[in-house]
Amino acid sequence: MPKRGKTGEQPVRGTVGEVFLAFLRLGLTAFGGPVAHIGYFRSEFVVRRRWLDDAVYADMVALCQFLPGPASSQVGLCLGARRAGVLGGAAAWLGFTLPSAVLMILAGLGAVAFGVNDPAVAAAVHGLKLVAVAVVAQAVQQMAGRLAADAHRATILVASATLALSVDGLAGQLGAIGLGAVAGLVIGRRNGAVPDRRNPAPLSMRVPMPVGAALLAILAGLLLAPVFVPVPEALRIADASFRAGSLVFGGGHVVLPLLEADTVRTGLVDRDTFLAGYGLAQAVPGPLFTFAAFLGAAAPTPGGVLGGILAVVAVFLPSSLVLFGALPFWDRLRSWMPARAALDGVNAAVVGLLVAVLYDPVATAAITGPRDVAAVLVAYLLLEVWKAPPWAVVLGFGFAGALLSL
């Protein structure tokens, strides 16, 4: 086992295969969402394998939480790249993402093959939709306590939820994010927000500044291209996934309203299939973003395995470009007060987006009467109070719904 160097030393190099197998093991066993994943990573790579020390790991986590995208997957990308270069980063992402992506593609194929209208299947899907209400409600409660704990940010939360509920589709969501950024800037300046000026632990992944700028320019170009060039029908799901992956702040659950706006509201995927897939995404290990693989497999074009692969690659691509593009600018970003203040406002706004989608379509599609309300309360109790594993609650409600239909 390689010895851990002192903070600031160059890391011991490993192999791409070593990185892939280490992350594949975690991809098969890491349940519990991004916060739990970051804990798993620390146990595996700081404590057990000693690839790096706590100071360097803490700086990685800080960087990935600052940037848009799925924080746990970005931390994994950092760990793999630090250990075995760019190919090591790709191997880490593939190992951690592959198990859940395969399961979600298979689930999407099943949704297409069997539909959701068979009585037993429809009842199981209804159970999954009820769990989705409890999962999103739990995410709102936890994220609001962390990201909108004071009066100013709570106001941003409510304002963004109101805007998203009043203006349909992506326009309302982008408007809410923009509102949050502007409000965060104003509030941060008024309150004299203090920037983070700690001496950062070196990440030992030096990316030349021109390369970082080029990666960010590529990201901007891919985002703006659909404005000028019509998106081919076969690439609509990839385009929707890419945009959603570009705008996720505050946690993986925020991908839900962004994907919903570009899939359900555009007719690409029907509402029941969408919510059933989101419920199933809670039952698999690995990153929540693999929900996109389900949507890609269930979408009409290209659909199937190809559609699932396109969607899952597209949803993760923006966060990868942002991560490596931001590395040369990280020291400046973390100490630039306007950026931190705007991010605080955006994080509060995305909780508001999640509140909006909790109402429509999550709750409106799932709750049809008092018994459904009672079932949601039971699911929430199991998740939040009894700390039951989400996968167990999801599978339990799905099986219970199917059995009751018989």
Side-chain angles (χ1 to χ4, degrees), residues 349-377:
V350 296
V351 184
L353 292 183
L354 209 53
V355 171
V357 82
L358 173 60
Y359 168 70
D360 182 19
V362 177
T364 56
I367 297 175
T368 59
R371 292 182 180 178
D372 288 343
V373 174
V376 170
L377 292 175

Side-chain angles (χ1 to χ4, degrees), residues 292-342:
F294 174 91
L295 297 176
T301 55
V305 175
L306 177 59
I309 292 172
L310 282 174
V312 78
V313 170
V315 81
F316 280 103
L317 181 60
S319 59
S320 303
L321 294 174
V322 166
L323 175 64
F324 287 108
L327 276 174
F329 311 100
W330 172 227
D331 289 350
R332 298 179 186 181
L333 280 173
R334 72 186 307 174
S335 61
W336 189 33
M337 188 279 289
R340 300 186 67 83

